[in-house]
Amino acid sequence: MKERDSESFESLSHQVLPNTSNSTHMIQMAMASSGSSAAAQAGQDQPDRSKWLLDCPEPPSPWHELKRQVKGSFLTKARRFKSLQKQPLPKRILSILQAIFPIFGWCRNYNLTMFKNDLMAGLTLASLCIPQSIGYATLAKLDPQYGLYTSVVPPLIYALMGTSREIAIGPVAVVSLLISSMLQKLIDPETDPLGYEKLVLTTTFFAGIFQASFGLFRLGFLVDFLSHAAIVGFMGGAAIVIGLQQLKGLLGITNFTTNTDIVSVLRAVWRSCQQQWSPHTFILGCSFLSFILITRFIGKKYKKLFWLPAIAPLIAVVVSTLMVFLTKADEHGVKTVKHIKGGLNPISIHDLDFNTPHLGQIAKVGLIIAIVALTEAIAVGRSFAGIKGYRLDGNKEMVAIGFMNVLGSFTSCYAATGSFSRTAVNFAAGCETAMSNIVMAVTVFVALECLTRLLYYTPIAILASIILSALPGLININEAIHIWKVDKFDFLALIGAFFGVLFASVEIGLLVAVVISFAKIILISIRPGIETLGRMPGTDTFADTNQYPMTVKTPGVLIFRVKSALLCFANASSIEERIMGWVDEEEEEENTKSNGKRKILFVILDMSNLINVDTSGITALVELNNKLIQTGVELVIVNPKWQVIHKLNQEKFVSRIGGKVYLTIGEALDACFGLKV
């Protein structure tokens, strides 16, 4: 029956309508046969529901909305404060401590079995962390001990304040690259190492202040300026740049470029290889790099051997150090770490330099590092929290990471964050809580106290090979392919970040990614999609005619829906032009088919997607209505939202279109063609 109705509707829609009255009569017949009359007949005794739209109360102003939000937040905190006052003093203190330090919450249910798991995970983590931290410190152009310092204090602070159970805190490759690439332009670490160290500590302080502020003032949305696609591209480009820079240590090159772009690095490698490099260093580094990669392959294939790739870097450090010591390879061109300062983290508050002429640049670098570090840490934390089935508090994470970096800058640490590779090891080792971070920090501290002298003969090539072995995890080709399939514009941001880092600099790569992401938003706002709607056969549902080719158009009527939440100065003119273009095109097409006797009677504009409209949007609607009237077409509006209908009433636009405002498209069609609702 529905198929016959649809066929009769389609046949009517192709007939020639001799005049407007006949057109209206036949359109009513078409609507009745298509099923809309059923809804109309069912609602004949109902009141005119369009008055519900026109007589709605005035919406709250932005000031009232802000006041309501502040009041709601204040009342929530007041209720919590009152509930705290009713509790005994010990419980009150415990509640406050739990809010600031989550460790007081989970430690109450802590038991020996959980500690055994955390102990195993923490020791496994430390075996990976110690060689990586030394390598990342050299990547940041700092002395090796700074990497170990950063693996002591920040993990302890995070264990007290963080909400993630699995995340492993410490120095990471990308942040180390950011620090060295941007700060060495201000002070050369080779000529003024002390000034450079002060610069790094001050930058870490600013990064921590920014991170803590994001959490305290609920500004986490700022982290989203770096989209997922941009981060994937940035990480891939940074991994290649880091890998190329490690050729200096792997080849035993003395003089190397300070630039990070691929052209400068490859040129420096080529010139150095033609002059002087150490074959012994290269063979040693490649041998242990192969060993680490093989153990990683074995660990992936046999899940029970997860500990093997975790301790492989430490084994490589120990064995290579013994080899250099026994063979005296350092006397034959193999460069070693030499002296590493041991002992507890020295206090560095006095090293923070706020009188430097580079303070503005330091703050800018600190902001970039803060956003990149938070993006990586929260992404890592949420990934593993989802696996374990608990919720990660993003704002508390920002506060925890911010405070650990601020306090870290006071104790000779540079910017730390959550490491994906070490967090994966921590998770695979069976960690239960953040206690694994405490175990790792204590183990690193013991190493600082007792083992630094043993690292004198550790070859630089081994540190380079450890860093190189961690880089494949930063290049996510499968994710890049997935982004290409899903969203081409996101892939453009990925490519922009990737090539920006690769051929320009780290900050240029980030800037390109952010600019492309914002361009995407602006382009969508300026050129929003417009759907032409038709009735689904046998129903009262209207849908996009392109998505559903089976939809049936109502003769003499064009129905549009704007695919945008805002009709504003950026897109109003474009929407007006596109609607008028479609009307003119439809008129020409129908005039050709019916020898000039057929005519568009109504344009129905579905506003169900629009949340708000500004003065430019209202002006565009007025101009659209005037142009339609000149061509003998009436404008009808359907389902405007609260803010939209309020502004249209204030501008007296509703009276301009004769009050043709309806709740649904079906009611609009019935009312336009004389069918009572």
Side-chain angles (χ1 to χ4, degrees):
M1 182 67 184
K2 289 181 179 179
E3 292 177 359
R4 281 206 309 270
D5 289 344
S6 178
E7 290 172 3
S8 64
F9 184 92
E10 291 177 4
S11 64
L12 281 169
S13 67
H14 289 87
Q15 291 178 11
V16 177
L17 306 183
N19 52 54
T20 303
S21 60
N22 289 339
S23 299
T24 304
H25 177 67
M26 295 191 70
I27 291 169
Q28 291 173 356
M29 292 175 59
M31 290 171 60
S33 66
S34 68
S36 71
S37 60
Q41 291 170 4
Q44 282 180 354
D45 299 327
Q46 296 179 6
D48 185 0
R49 297 198 296 183
S50 62
K51 291 182 180 179
W52 298 350
L53 279 170
L54 299 175
D55 298 336
C56 63
E58 184 176 339
S61 64
W63 167 248
H64 282 89
E65 283 287 331
L66 178 62
K67 196 163 76 171
R68 183 180 63 81
Q69 291 179 4
V70 172
K71 184 179 178 182
S73 177
F74 176 77
L75 288 175
T76 303
K77 291 178 180 178
R79 290 191 201 101
R80 289 177 182 173
F81 181 72
K82 285 182 180 179
S83 64
L84 279 175
Q85 283 184 324
K86 295 177 182 177
Q87 295 178 0
L89 183 60
K91 287 188 176 180
R92 197 185 310 168
I93 294 172
L94 184 61
S95 298
I96 294 171
L97 288 174
Q98 285 180 7
I100 301 173
F101 304 106
I103 190 172
F104 286 98
W106 57 260
C107 71
R108 290 186 299 171
N109 302 318
Y110 203 68
N111 55 46
L112 185 60
T113 304
M114 296 171 72
F115 177 71
K116 288 179 180 178
N117 293 333
D118 285 336
L119 180 64
M120 178 63 182
L123 292 174
T124 307
L125 205 54
S127 66
L128 175 63
C129 174
I130 291 171
Q132 275 194 352
S133 298
I134 296 172
Y136 292 152
T138 58
L139 178 61
K141 308 295 184 185
L142 293 167
D143 292 335
Q145 66 266 17
Y146 283 96
L148 296 176
Y149 293 156
T150 308
S151 298
V152 175
V153 174
L156 292 175
I157 303 299
Y158 182 83
L160 294 173
M161 301 184 67
T163 58
S164 174
R165 303 170 195 167
E166 297 80 24
I167 196 168
I169 297 296
V172 296
V174 173
V175 172
S176 301
L177 174 66
L178 279 170
I179 288 173
S180 62
S181 63
M182 290 191 284
L183 292 184
Q184 68 181 355
K185 296 176 182 177
L186 304 178
I187 294 180
D188 188 356
E190 299 290 337
T191 58
D192 187 7
L194 185 60
Y196 180 76
E197 288 166 8
K198 289 182 178 181
L199 209 63
V200 171
L201 293 173
T202 310
T203 303
T204 301
F205 174 80
F206 275 108
I209 291 294
F210 283 125
Q211 290 167 334
S213 301
F214 293 163
L216 290 172
F217 295 104
R218 302 294 193 267
L219 299 176
F221 65 90
L222 294 174
V223 178
D224 296 330
F225 283 165
L226 286 178
S227 64
H228 172 66
I231 288 295
V232 172
F234 170 72
M235 291 287 192
I240 295 175
V241 168
I242 293 169
L244 290 172
Q245 286 191 333
Q246 295 315 300
L247 292 176
K248 175 186 177 182
L250 201 63
L251 296 170
I253 300 171
T254 304
N255 298 318
F256 205 69
T257 180
T258 57
N259 296 329
T260 58
D261 62 283
I262 188 173
V263 177
S264 299
V265 174
L266 288 177
R267 187 185 293 120
V269 171
W270 176 253
R271 288 174 181 172
S272 300
C273 288
Q274 287 180 326
Q275 296 171 4
Q276 186 177 4
W277 62 287
S278 174
H280 299 93
T281 302
F282 181 71
I283 294 170
L284 185 67
C286 288
S287 300
F288 282 98
L289 176 60
S290 302
F291 165 72
I292 295 171
L293 293 177
I294 289 169
T295 57
R296 181 168 298 171
F297 173 76
I298 294 172
K300 285 184 179 179
K301 191 171 183 180
Y302 304 101
K303 298 298 181 183
K304 291 183 179 180
L305 297 176
F306 68 89
W307 51 269
L308 184 60
I311 67 169
L314 188 61
I315 294 173
V317 168
V318 172
V319 174
S320 63
T321 302
L322 284 174
M323 288 175 61
V324 172
F325 175 74
L326 295 174
T327 61
K328 296 183 179 180
D330 57 317
E331 298 178 2
H332 298 85
V334 175
K335 297 183 181 299
T336 60
V337 174
K338 299 191 182 298
H339 179 67
I340 297 179
K341 185 179 178 182
L344 185 65
N345 294 35
I347 301 301
S348 57
I349 298 178
H350 57 278
D351 290 331
L352 300 180
D353 188 4
F354 300 107
N355 295 321
T356 175
H358 306 300
L359 193 62
Q361 290 291 324
I362 292 172
K364 185 191 79 171
V365 174
L367 178 61
I368 294 172
I369 290 172
I371 293 175
V372 172
L374 281 180
T375 303
E376 183 173 358
I378 292 175
V380 170
R382 284 176 177 169
S383 299
F384 288 95
I387 296 172
K388 284 287 188 72
Y390 69 93
R391 180 180 173 274
L392 196 73
D393 191 326
N395 289 309
K396 283 188 177 180
E397 285 295 291
M398 293 178 191
V399 172
I401 293 171
F403 270 98
M404 80 181 189
N405 279 322
V406 169
L407 294 177
S409 68
F410 297 161
T411 54
S412 300
C413 304
Y414 75 95
T417 188
S419 165
F420 185 83
S421 60
R422 291 196 293 274
T423 302
V425 169
N426 196 28
F427 176 79
C431 73
E432 297 281 350
T433 65
M435 181 62 73
S436 60
N437 271 295
I438 298 176
V439 173
M440 178 196 71
V442 171
T443 307
V444 175
F445 171 68
V446 171
L448 272 168
E449 285 288 346
C450 308
L451 303 177
T452 51
R453 292 181 182 179
L454 301 177
L455 297 173
Y456 182 90
Y457 291 100
T458 301
I460 298 292
I462 296 304
L463 301 181
S465 65
I466 290 171
I467 294 174
L468 285 168
S469 68
L471 297 182
L474 298 178
I475 303 174
N476 198 338
I477 297 175
N478 291 331
E479 186 64 20
I481 294 172
H482 173 72
I483 291 171
W484 164 258
K485 291 179 180 178
V486 174
D487 192 322
K488 302 298 187 291
F489 221 118
D490 268 357
F491 185 77
L492 183 61
L494 184 153
I495 289 296
F498 179 80
F499 285 113
V501 171
L502 212 57
F503 291 100
S505 64
V506 174
E507 55 265 45
I508 293 296
L510 287 172
L511 181 63
V512 169
V514 171
V515 168
I516 292 175
S517 298
F518 272 102
K520 174 185 176 181
I521 297 171
I522 294 170
L523 188 62
I524 291 173
S525 300
I526 294 176
R527 299 289 295 176
I530 298 179
E531 300 173 332
T532 55
L533 306 181
R535 189 191 299 274
M536 298 291 284
T539 71
D540 287 326
T541 302
F542 290 81
D544 185 3
T545 55
N546 293 322
Q547 184 178 359
Y548 302 99
M550 75 288 298
T551 53
V552 182
K553 290 185 178 181
T554 304
V557 179
L558 284 179
I559 307 171
F560 298 105
R561 180 163 59 206
V562 181
K563 294 190 290 185
S564 174
L566 183 64
L567 184 62
C568 62
F569 66 93
N571 57 21
S573 298
S574 171
I575 290 173
E576 177 196 347
E577 291 172 4
R578 292 178 71 180
I579 290 176
M580 283 306 304
W582 252 320
V583 171
D584 294 339
E585 184 180 336
E586 191 75 14
E587 284 278 2
E588 291 176 5
E589 184 179 339
E590 292 188 353
N591 286 338
T592 303
K593 290 180 180 178
S594 54
N595 299 323
K597 296 180 180 179
R598 202 142 157 209
K599 184 174 173 52
I600 298 296
L601 302 177
F602 299 99
V603 166
I604 297 178
L605 188 59
D606 183 0
M607 290 187 166
S608 55
N609 287 340
L610 286 176
I611 296 174
N612 213 331
V613 61
D614 67 0
T615 53
S616 298
I618 295 173
T619 302
L621 288 175
V622 171
E623 292 177 359
L624 175 64
N625 182 55
N626 293 337
K627 291 177 181 178
L628 290 174
I629 289 174
Q630 291 174 3
T631 59
V633 180
E634 296 184 49
L635 179 63
V636 181
I637 291 176
V638 169
N639 195 20
K641 300 298 183 185
W642 199 2
Q643 297 283 354
V644 176
I645 190 62
H646 173 69
K647 291 183 178 180
L648 294 181
N649 275 327
Q650 283 189 323
E651 292 290 330
K652 296 182 172 53
F653 180 76
V654 175
S655 60
R656 288 172 183 262
I657 60 174
K660 296 184 182 66
V661 181
Y662 303 97
L663 276 173
T664 66
I665 297 174
E667 291 178 7
L669 288 171
D670 294 341
C672 289
F673 295 125
L675 297 175
K676 292 183 179 180
V677 179

